[in-house]
Amino acid sequence: MKALVIGDICRDIFVYGNCERISPEAPIPVLSKTSFSENMGMAGNVVSNLKYFKCDVDLISNKESITKTRYVDSVSNYILLRVDDEPKISPINFSSIPSFKNYDFIIISDYNKGFLSTEDIEKILKICKNEKIITFMDTKKVIGDWAKDCSFIKINEKEYNNKLHKKYLEGAKISEKLIVTLGSRGSKHNGRIIPTEAVQVRDVSGAGDTYLAGLAVYFCKTKDIFASMKFANKCARSVVSQPGVSTPKDMEM
């Protein structure tokens, strides 16, 4: 299975440590560093998850380095602070995009950092629709008519309930394309909820990326969206039980 991911990437950095005292200079906790981890984040995390499912993946993303550094108490796994470094991002160069016919599906993972405009996404989706390529999208932008050619759009419950989204979605046929993730309650499509099993949550970072990757891979294998949502629920459940940004464990297609 061959996939193309288009979107913003970053470096996800986790600094873990023990937090046992308050600073004498200010009423803030002091973190004594014990370990450090780093991985690809945002669209890069989607790619990592697709590779876990043994997909052949190409990535088109920003060249500039975005970093998200999280300082975490090792005992509670509580994030004490997140520091983001976001340089100005150059927009996508369409001459760098290969023929979409080479791919079984395309994922747009848009974190709204400047790499993709609504016009860019609309153009990509229109080309894919004309060439009958399945598309999946997760975007931090407010959804509008520019997204109408996407096959499936993943959105979390908080984003779905945003007043700007609700105003558009209530009267738009695009609502039929929505997959709404509901956290511990599973996910919803066309009024039907696919529940998930309860799990002890350690870290929700990157869970949406994992859900999106699992959904896309399973749908392209089965063409059954509800079975794909069930599989994606399992994938997300696996990663939230692990610290940091991770890929699923012991998942079989």
Side-chain angles (χ1 to χ4, degrees), residues 42-209:
M42 301 194 305
N45 188 36
V46 176
V47 170
S48 297
N49 279 273
L50 290 173
K51 288 182 176 178
Y52 171 84
F53 296 124
K54 303 194 178 346
C55 279
D56 181 6
V57 190
D58 290 335
L59 171 67
I60 297 175
S61 62
N62 48 288
K63 305 301 181 186
E64 299 83 1
S65 179
I66 297 172
T67 60
K68 297 179 182 180
T69 305
R70 299 168 177 88
Y71 295 86
V72 187
D73 174 37
S74 297
V75 175
S76 64
N77 207 55
Y78 182 78
I79 299 176
L80 302 173
L81 178 68
R82 193 180 100 176
V83 179
D84 290 4
D85 182 8
E86 297 184 8
K88 184 175 181 180
I89 302 300
S90 301
I92 187 172
N93 178 4
F94 272 88
S95 65
S96 67
I97 297 180
S99 171
F100 292 150
K101 293 179 181 179
N102 297 329
Y103 301 98
D104 295 301
F105 64 91
I106 291 172
I107 291 179
I108 295 175
S109 177
D110 170 43
Y111 275 77
N112 201 23
K113 301 298 184 183
F115 184 65
L116 292 167
S117 67
T118 55
E119 292 80 11
D120 294 330
I121 297 174
E122 183 175 30
K123 181 177 179 180
I124 293 167
L125 293 175
K126 187 169 291 186
I127 294 170
C128 291
K129 182 179 180 180
N130 290 339
E131 296 188 356
K132 296 181 170 48
I133 306 297
I134 300 170
T135 50
F136 300 84
M137 179 168 67
D138 188 358
T139 178
K140 299 304 179 187
K141 294 179 174 64
V142 175
I143 296 170
D145 285 341
W146 54 270
K148 67 182 184 299
D149 289 329
C150 192
S151 306
F152 295 103
I153 302 169
K154 186 198 87 60
I155 185 171
N156 66 43
E157 188 174 26
K158 182 179 179 180
E159 293 165 340
Y160 178 77
N161 288 327
N162 179 298
K163 289 182 180 179
L164 294 175
H165 271 135
K166 294 285 279 188
K167 182 179 179 180
Y168 173 74
L169 295 174
E170 282 175 357
K173 289 184 178 179
I174 204 167
S175 62
E176 299 172 359
K177 302 170 181 285
L178 295 181
I179 309 290
V180 184
T181 55
L182 307 172
S184 61
R185 301 188 337 268
S187 48
K188 180 172 69 174
H189 175 60
N190 272 344
R192 178 178 171 185
I193 293 178
I194 303 300
T196 189
E197 296 176 16
V199 67
Q200 182 177 2
V201 176
R202 295 199 64 188
D203 199 327
V204 299
S205 303
D209 302 325

Side-chain angles (χ1 to χ4, degrees), residues 199-249:
V199 67
Q200 182 177 2
V201 176
R202 295 199 64 188
D203 199 327
V204 299
S205 303
D209 302 325
T210 299
Y211 183 98
L212 183 63
L215 180 79
V217 168
Y218 208 80
F219 182 79
C220 287
K221 179 182 177 182
T222 65
K223 299 299 186 290
D224 183 333
I225 191 59
F226 293 110
S228 302
M229 291 166 62
K230 183 177 181 180
F231 180 76
N233 283 344
K234 289 181 180 179
C235 295
R237 190 170 71 241
S238 174
V239 298
V240 299
S241 64
Q242 304 175 54
V245 173
S246 58
T247 54
K249 286 186 175 179

